[in-house]
Amino acid sequence: MRHLGKRRTERDQGLMVEVMAFGELLAAHPFQPGTPGTPPDAVTDWTRALDAYEAACRSLRRNDREGVLRHLDDGRYAMACLESRLAGGPPPARLPPCFFDPRHGPSTAEVPWMPPAGTRRDVPVCAADAVRLREGSLPIASGHPARLPTAPVPPPRDRIDQDKLALSGLAAAFIGYAAVLFAVGDRTGAVLYLAAGYVPPGVAVVSGFHLASWAPRLWRLIRRSHLTLADFDRSEATSSGRRDVYAVVDVSGRRYERARKTGAPSAEPLPQQHVWYLRGRGGEGELLGFWSVLWLPLGVAVALPVFAASLAATFYLFPGRLVLALLS
């Protein structure tokens, strides 16, 4: 308990430092709203940045950590818009803050990163940290130390050659089995296998993948879930428009997010959204959309018979036809 309290104190002090740093940035900025010729949008951005700073201070006094981070993110984005307008350019796209430290500002790219004892994934980073990761250096001021690769990554050409070799092997095995069927006298089976032998295994793989993903979620939705409200956290620009991110913080302090695509980029996001919170065995949770209570049972009801039928057809073609031909 003493160790937990110490960590919480250090985290609160870190938030206070971030708020103070943003306030110092505002105080040292040379922008003057009353200067003749100042773009009206620049004044609006400056006002948004000041409002975000005041909101962050209020959230800090309430020990609302998520509120502090959200308001600081809004303020940094407003300052980025201000700098762009003063330079005569359009406002930048709303990007998530740097993954390694929000004080670095908005991210500029997504780069692959792997934490210790974790899996490689793409994370949004600022321009400086993107260069550091490419050079194999550790990002500065990071709560997520980068893990340097322990083995050289094979060049793309080698991976392409391996893929071609695997495809060639599968094609040879496919044709070879049809030739064996033809040799033992099952000409109909050989023609059928060449014409559509790849369909049942493909359907079985796809339906089995969806079934393995949907069935556990449906079970947890029935046994260990409840309906709750997720608060709007931020909006992110995508290639097809915009998506709104909603967040829920559970009793243990874990944060869960769910993104919702919006068909109208100009529409204001809803302040809250109903979501299903699913509890996992290891304490980890997951958020699902409100209509998951309908599409999850429907998806399992469709995927289960399709998977069973395609698996039976696969075994009938291979090795069932060959066994029947040898026994006849």
Side-chain angles (χ1 to χ4, degrees), residues 3 71 203 244 258 260:
H3 179 64
H71 294 309
V203 175
D244 300 328
R258 181 180 183 273
R260 176 178 178 269

Side-chain angles (χ1 to χ4, degrees), residues 267-312:
E268 289 293 328
L270 297 174
Q272 290 182 320
Q273 184 187 47
H274 282 93
V275 295
W276 290 96
Y277 170 68
L278 277 60
R279 290 183 292 111
R281 291 184 177 180
E284 294 292 334
E286 182 182 5
L287 299 183
L288 294 181
F290 176 75
W291 296 108
S292 299
V293 69
L294 296 180
W295 69 258
L296 264 181
L298 180 61
V300 172
V302 173
L304 183 59
V306 171
F307 174 72
S310 57
L311 193 63

Side-chain angles (χ1 to χ4, degrees), residues 62-210:
R62 296 195 301 266
N63 294 324
D64 181 8
R65 182 174 183 272
E66 300 299 331
V68 172
L69 296 177
R70 182 172 64 254
H71 294 309
L72 287 178
D73 184 32
D74 293 340
R76 294 188 182 105
Y77 176 68
M79 292 299 293
C81 292
L82 173 64
E83 296 291 347
S84 180
R85 295 188 200 278
L86 293 179
R94 183 69 181 267
L95 298 174
C98 179
F99 173 79
F100 293 104
D101 195 328
R103 289 172 294 181
H104 296 176
S107 59
T108 59
E110 288 192 349
V111 298
W113 173 78
M114 183 170 63
T119 57
R120 185 178 294 273
R121 62 184 185 272
D122 291 338
V123 296
V125 298
C126 63
D129 280 346
V131 174
R132 293 186 185 95
L133 288 177
R134 283 197 297 268
E135 295 177 348
S137 304
L138 295 177
I140 62 172
S142 170
H144 312 272
R147 179 180 179 182
L148 300 180
T150 57
V153 179
R157 185 173 61 184
D158 291 348
R159 290 198 293 268
I160 294 176
D161 292 341
Q162 293 175 4
D163 294 340
K164 289 182 178 179
L165 182 62
L167 290 176
S168 300
L170 288 175
F174 186 80
I175 297 174
Y177 179 70
V180 172
L181 287 178
F182 189 86
V184 298
D186 188 4
R187 298 181 179 180
T188 302
V191 174
L192 180 64
Y193 190 75
L194 284 175
Y198 55 88
V199 174
V203 175
V205 170
V206 174
S207 58
F209 173 80
H210 287 297

Side-chain angles (χ1 to χ4, degrees), residues 192-265:
L192 180 64
Y193 190 75
L194 284 175
Y198 55 88
V199 174
V203 175
V205 170
V206 174
S207 58
F209 173 80
H210 287 297
L211 188 62
S213 175
W214 292 341
R217 289 179 176 175
L218 178 60
W219 178 254
R220 285 189 291 158
L221 183 64
I222 297 173
R223 297 293 302 274
R224 296 192 299 271
S225 70
H226 65 270
L227 192 63
T228 185
L229 284 173
D231 297 321
F232 173 74
D233 184 73
R234 65 186 183 276
S235 294
E236 298 178 350
T238 63
S239 57
S240 58
R242 189 195 78 196
R243 65 177 184 177
D244 300 328
V245 180
Y246 292 82
V248 170
V249 179
D250 63 12
V251 293
S252 61
R254 291 187 178 93
R255 174 186 173 87
Y256 304 99
E257 295 184 349
R258 181 180 183 273
R260 176 178 178 269
K261 293 183 179 179
T262 177

